[in-house]
Amino acid sequence: MATMLQILDFLGVAVFAVTGAIVASRLRLDCLAFVFFAVFTGVGGGTLRDLLLDAPVFWVENEIYLVVCIAIGALMWFVIPPVERLSKPLRWVDAMGLAAYSVMGAAKTLSLGHPPTVAVLMGVATATFGGIIRDTIAGQPSALLKPELYLTPAFVGAGVYVGLFSFGIEAWPAAIAGVAVAFFLRGGAILKGWHLPGYTPPRDES
């Protein structure tokens, strides 16, 4: 379990740090801003999770997470042109981070002895809060406000992991299933515009 948590944690931090640097590049900011966006996007979701769970904040206990974010922010300064030539790089990298962190947040919550419902909620918070911070600082519309699936993949991914693990499935198979389902749903939203029906106010017939 501990190894799985650390791998998912580093994966989530790294890919969200990449999305922060991509946003900084699109705003035509300097190298230090690349690092700033990479750090705050990378550690944002996990920080919220740990604060809500009254657990030691992961990057305060282990500074290697900050080193990873700083290194990624600096590296992206040099490799942004080929990255941006890829199709929808920001959304796909964000989807990878969302999938990994939805399971990571749920798994860590369960490991601390909290109930399954709390674990699913913490999985969603961990997966989405870094992106919210990134978009808010950049002054861009949050993905949460778009009709395509965003919260739903995180919720389902965390739910699949928690459900399988609670029924006795080993941590790694449960984690792989949760990440795969979350990434599949988010990928469908990116490629096909998958979305749930939005609220429609009743017509005023007066």
Side-chain angles (χ1 to χ4, degrees):
M1 172 69 80
T3 301
M4 186 198 75
L5 289 177
Q6 193 163 49
I7 290 174
L8 288 176
D9 215 8
F10 276 114
L11 177 61
V13 165
V15 294
F16 272 126
V18 170
T19 70
I22 292 174
V23 168
S25 76
R26 293 180 179 181
L27 296 174
R28 298 174 182 258
L29 301 177
D30 60 36
C31 185
L32 286 179
F34 271 58
V35 172
F36 174 85
F37 270 85
V39 169
F40 277 85
T41 309
V43 304
T47 301
L48 175 67
R49 174 200 65 221
D50 290 345
L51 291 174
L52 290 175
L53 296 175
D54 196 25
V57 178
F58 69 106
W59 56 266
V60 175
E61 282 207 319
N62 187 355
E63 66 178 3
I64 190 64
Y65 292 100
L66 293 182
V67 174
V68 168
C69 290
I70 292 169
I72 287 174
L75 176 64
M76 291 296 289
W77 173 264
F78 298 99
V79 301
I80 276 293
V83 170
E84 284 286 28
R85 283 196 289 269
L86 301 174
S87 177
K88 300 177 181 178
L90 175 61
R91 300 174 78 189
W92 282 111
V93 176
D94 186 80
M96 288 170 26
L98 180 142
Y101 246 12
S102 65
V103 171
M104 164 59 199
K108 183 169 184 177
T109 304
L110 287 179
S111 73
L112 294 174
H114 296 284
T117 51
V118 175
V120 173
L121 179 60
M122 288 299 103
V124 175
T126 306
T128 58
F129 193 66
I132 293 172
I133 293 176
R134 178 196 65 217
D135 296 338
T136 300
I137 295 176
Q140 298 181 348
S142 172
L144 295 177
L145 303 179
K146 298 177 182 179
E148 64 187 35
L149 297 180
Y150 191 78
L151 280 174
T152 301
F155 179 85
V156 174
V160 166
Y161 172 80
V162 170
L164 292 177
F165 188 74
S166 298
F167 279 102
I169 304 298
E170 292 293 329
W172 266 118
I176 292 171
V179 170
V181 170
F183 188 75
F184 172 76
L185 291 175
R186 182 62 187 141
I190 294 171
L191 292 175
K192 303 293 185 180
W194 290 353
H195 63 278
L196 295 175
Y199 171 72
T200 302
R203 290 186 300 173
D204 185 0
E205 298 181 355
S206 60

